[in-house]
Amino acid sequence: MSQIDVHGLAKHYRVHRKAAGFMGSVRSFFQRQYQNVKAVDDIGFQIEEGEVVGFLGPNGAGKTTTLKVLSGLLHPTAGRARILGFTPHERQSSFLKQITLVMGQKNQLNWDLPAMESFIVNQAIYDIPVDAFRQTLAELTELLDLDPLVDKQVRKLSLGERMKCELAAALLHRPRVLFLDEPTIGLDVVMQTRIRQFVAEYNRRYGATVILTSHYMADVTALCKRVLVIDHGKLIYDGDLRAMIARLAPYKVLKLILRSPVTCEALSPYGQVVDCNGLRAVIRVPRETATRAAAQLLGAVDVDDVTIEEPPVEAIVSELFDRGQVDDAPTQREGAGNAP
Amino acid sequence: MLHKYWVLLKVNWSLLLEYRAGMIIWVLANTLPLVMLAVWISIADAGPVGNYGAAEFTAYYLALLLVRQMTSVWVAWELDYDIRLGELSPKLLRPIDPIHNHLALHLADKIFRLFTVVPLILLAAAVVPGVAYPTDPVTVALFLVSTACALAIRFMMQYSVGLLSFWITQSLAINEMLYAGMVMFGGVIAPLELFPPGAARLAAVLPFRYMLSLPVELLLGRLAGPERLAALGIQILWLGVFIAIYRLLWRIGLKHYSAVGA
């Protein structure tokens, strides 16, 4: 059986609605109006040990709700989830000792004490043997460069420094399954890259399974071979990230820098001209003919520099959400995962 | 589990020392028994009230102050905060029930008070003329057991009230109501002995006496032998009731919390 096995999972909320203003309050006091919100609506997938899977979707798509169901914080309304053979919402301690959930916007560290104090508490409550604790802490300290941070009060750390300590606290018990909900939110680019490299290294070193949500596409493209795309609570794509890009964006982008000016019309036979101002041009060309087009252009016009790029993933994904589906893509798993 | 408690106790101790200024203010703010003492002494000026003259009132209220310091509980506020702001979620993901950390914090606080305010109260009891407490081991032991039970009852009751935040946003108002009940029927306003018979009988069955007044009555030797055990029995009964309520609320509350969103 897969390490994570989800079937027909649904989570519906009953949300209390109230009209604005005083009369709205009065009316709602006597007669509450409820609305059923389908945060997660019949989704299913399997994830194997050691995979790194990206969870994509716009705000309110149901990503965090799904992670909360998988980590055991929420009871599903319907369907079932099995993780490491456990039913998450039973919250058995042998289950909790093998998973972790890092929420970029919530802390588990004690704000008023140095992070080290929280680490020591975790050692005790997760029953981590002293030797294993020392070794893991040494490795995390090296990977995350924690040395100068752990003895400072958490509230005096910067956001990025705090996130590093949060990650360390969440990983001291060496969980086999990591749920990362926006782990890089609010961090600068350098720190985002550090966290990303760390997650990749942790996955490589310990073979841990990682499910990650992020608003930063770069997190997903750097870490995940496979993505699950969720929108309005429904799974609209499950499969290889590159395959999705290839299907949604069957073109590459040629960027040209020219030595002498050329008209847009002169470039149009090679592909769809997106931008052209004489000395610079951006052309979309079909994937299969991208290299040939580039070679022809080198011969035909006075080119100083040419690059062939993948289209930006942000654009593809937002296009996907607008359309609400991937054409002729089954929502089943396709493309192999990146299990070692 | 003992090792876990030891670690939780240590970390909460460092937390208390981190807030030491605030702690001292909280400890000193606990002065209602002293206010009532002043009131009753001025009344007793005109002649004793029941069995109570100025010295008896002083002995009573100093003991009450001591018990209050050793049984102070604020866990309802912590739970209200955790539940309403979703801070409970990360705590639920740890393989230990959150109640243990709350309890460890309260125990660390009691150790803090034992070394700061308790000596002050004992000193006051020693220097005020006419105030003397029995020192026979049975009385002292009963007093200590009963004080520990009083702390446990207050903790479990407030924990249960705090858990109501799963359903309502005003659980702290209920907590205030229960506090008022304790001031009234727990022996703060007046020693329960001085209540009219009907009110005294009511106080004997309500939980409030067992959260504050009973240890004081035991220390002052106001109860006859068999009465003492009967009262302790009722105290333990109330503790059992609140533990049962807590367990029930925790079980169904958690289901509710995880059904509506965390």
Side-chain angles (χ1 to χ4, degrees):
Chain A
M1 200 171 90
S2 303
Q3 198 179 46
I4 297 177
D5 191 19
V6 178
H7 281 287
L9 194 74
K11 178 71 199 173
H12 300 178
Y13 296 117
R14 228 160 64 105
V15 181
H16 159 217
R17 288 176 68 87
K18 181 180 91 67
F22 176 70
M23 282 318 286
S25 302
V26 172
R27 224 174 293 131
S28 122
F29 184 83
F30 291 106
Q31 190 181 23
R32 290 216 153 189
Q33 303 236 314
Y34 291 97
Q35 189 190 22
N36 208 24
V37 174
K38 294 178 176 176
V40 175
D41 193 12
D42 189 23
I43 68 175
F45 53 84
Q46 281 78 44
I47 294 173
E48 305 301 327
E49 183 160 7
E51 278 194 74
V52 183
V53 177
F55 223 16
L56 295 177
N59 280 338
K63 304 185 297 280
T64 302
T65 304
T66 308
L67 287 194
K68 283 180 173 173
V69 172
L70 295 184
S71 58
L73 282 175
L74 295 178
H75 276 237
T77 310
R80 66 181 186 87
R82 299 281 291 173
I83 292 177
L84 299 158
F86 293 94
T87 301
H89 67 256
E90 289 171 1
R91 297 194 305 113
Q92 283 161 283
S93 102
S94 42
F95 167 69
L96 296 175
K97 283 180 183 174
Q98 297 186 68
I99 65 151
T100 201
L101 170 64
V102 177
M103 294 185 267
Q105 315 195 67
K106 284 251 184 310
N107 322 294
Q108 68 149 319
L109 295 174
N110 196 311
W111 198 250
D112 296 303
L113 294 175
M116 197 50 153
E117 299 257 10
S118 296
F119 294 171
I120 291 168
V121 169
N122 277 12
Q123 184 207 342
I125 63 182
Y126 282 95
D127 295 307
I128 307 169
V130 178
D131 292 344
F133 175 74
R134 284 214 190 103
Q135 196 199 336
T136 312
L137 186 59
E139 289 176 17
L140 291 171
T141 302
E142 175 219 316
L143 285 172
L144 287 166
D145 199 10
L146 294 178
D147 236 351
L149 310 179
V150 290
D151 294 326
K152 281 194 216 163
Q153 269 184 329
V154 171
R155 63 166 175 228
K156 297 204 171 118
L157 299 175
S158 75
L159 186 62
E161 292 172 334
R162 210 163 69 221
M163 198 58 221
K164 289 205 240 173
C165 292
E166 284 284 344
L167 273 171
L171 298 173
L172 277 172
H173 59 290
R174 293 232 190 130
R176 291 169 65 196
V177 179
L178 276 59
F179 300 106
L180 307 179
D181 192 17
E182 304 280 356
T184 54
I185 198 157
L187 302 183
D188 66 39
V189 181
V190 177
M191 195 57 84
Q192 282 178 28
T193 313
R194 283 299 307 275
I195 300 285
R196 230 173 263 154
Q197 285 167 345
F198 170 75
V199 173
E201 177 61 22
Y202 186 89
N203 162 260
R204 199 186 57 74
R205 227 184 246 200
Y206 303 112
T209 309
V210 181
I211 302 190
L212 166 106
T213 77
S214 180
H215 274 105
Y216 301 111
M217 214 50 224
D219 284 349
V220 177
T221 45
L223 288 169
C224 311
K225 192 158 177 289
R226 174 181 170 198
V227 289
L228 301 174
V229 183
I230 183 170
D231 193 21
H232 293 103
K234 290 199 181 293
L235 192 62
I236 57 175
Y237 181 80
D238 174 2
D240 189 77
L241 176 63
R242 281 180 207 291
M244 179 181 88
I245 293 170
R247 188 173 302 107
L248 285 170
Y251 55 84
K252 290 200 177 190
V253 177
L254 289 188
K255 289 191 177 164
L256 300 171
I257 295 174
L258 304 161
R259 286 212 190 86
S260 49
V262 175
T263 60
C264 297
E265 290 72 39
L267 296 172
S268 58
Y270 300 95
Q272 183 197 351
V273 181
V274 181
D275 183 29
C276 126
N277 67 357
L279 286 172
R280 277 166 185 278
V282 179
I283 313 172
R284 281 184 180 183
V285 291
R287 255 167 212 283
E288 312 77 58
T289 59
T291 17
R292 196 160 9 112
Q296 288 171 348
L297 274 164
L298 281 170
V301 293
D302 193 7
V303 176
D304 183 37
D305 190 20
V306 61
T307 58
I308 307 175
E309 293 176 10
E310 286 289 340
V313 185
E314 277 88 348
I316 299 170
V317 171
S318 69
E319 194 182 323
L320 175 64
F321 295 147
D322 289 344
R323 282 202 274 167
Q325 63 174 61
V326 180
D327 294 338
D328 63 67
T331 53
Q332 285 88 27
R333 177 81 202 278
E334 52 168 71
N338 44 3
Chain B
M1 204 60 204
L2 261 181
H3 171 67
K4 290 180 191 181
Y5 256 93
W6 176 239
V7 172
L8 288 175
L9 210 55
K10 275 198 294 190
V11 74
N12 281 303
W13 177 257
S14 356
L15 207 55
L16 287 178
L17 294 188
E18 195 59 47
Y19 306 138
R20 54 195 173 273
M23 273 300 300
I24 287 172
I25 292 171
W26 277 112
V27 167
L28 295 181
N30 206 336
T31 53
L32 189 56
L34 294 180
V35 174
M36 291 316 301
L37 174 60
V39 171
W40 282 108
I41 284 182
S42 74
I43 293 173
D45 238 10
V49 184
N51 295 328
Y52 283 79
E56 284 77 19
F57 275 122
T58 311
Y60 178 86
Y61 276 110
L62 281 178
L64 192 83
L65 186 64
L66 179 73
V67 174
R68 254 191 81 156
Q69 289 285 351
M70 294 313 289
T71 58
S72 72
V73 170
W74 63 96
V75 75
W77 279 266
E78 295 186 344
L79 281 173
D80 172 73
Y81 179 88
D82 281 358
I83 293 171
R84 280 192 304 114
L85 278 74
E87 297 293 331
L88 185 63
S89 298
K91 295 178 183 172
L92 287 177
L93 285 175
R94 316 177 116 206
I96 187 172
D97 192 306
I99 195 172
H100 298 302
N101 191 44
H102 290 296
L103 192 54
L105 174 62
H106 280 73
L107 292 178
D109 167 74
K110 297 305 163 285
I111 296 170
F112 182 87
R113 289 173 195 249
L114 205 56
F115 288 113
T116 50
V117 68
V118 170
L120 287 179
I121 298 173
L122 294 180
L123 185 72
V127 298
V128 176
V131 173
Y133 296 105
T135 51
D136 72 282
V138 176
T139 303
V140 173
L142 285 174
F143 168 72
L144 292 177
V145 169
S146 179
T147 304
C149 279
L151 171 62
I153 295 177
R154 285 199 67 187
F155 185 83
M156 296 317 303
M157 187 179 86
Q158 264 204 27
Y159 209 93
S160 304
V161 171
L163 290 181
L164 294 177
S165 305
F166 280 129
W167 297 275
I168 58 176
T169 49
Q170 299 296 321
S171 67
L172 290 180
I174 295 176
N175 195 52
E176 288 301 315
M177 231 170 66
L178 290 169
Y179 175 73
M182 200 185 72
V183 169
M184 199 55 217
F185 291 104
V188 181
I189 288 291
L192 298 180
E193 272 177 84
L194 301 180
F195 275 32
R201 271 198 300 279
L202 181 63
V205 294
L206 291 176
F208 306 112
R209 178 190 181 207
Y210 306 95
M211 294 171 4
L212 188 55
S213 171
L214 181 63
V216 179
E217 294 170 39
L218 288 168
L219 182 66
L220 297 180
R222 296 261 165 188
L223 298 177
E227 276 180 324
R228 305 200 286 192
L229 290 180
L232 262 180
I234 301 176
Q235 190 179 32
I236 288 166
L237 206 67
W238 271 116
L239 179 57
V241 168
F242 283 114
I243 289 176
I245 294 174
Y246 147 72
R247 288 220 170 134
L248 183 72
L249 288 177
W250 179 244
R251 197 157 45 83
I252 57 178
L254 218 51
K255 210 173 251 173
H256 179 76
Y257 183 71
S258 78
V260 298

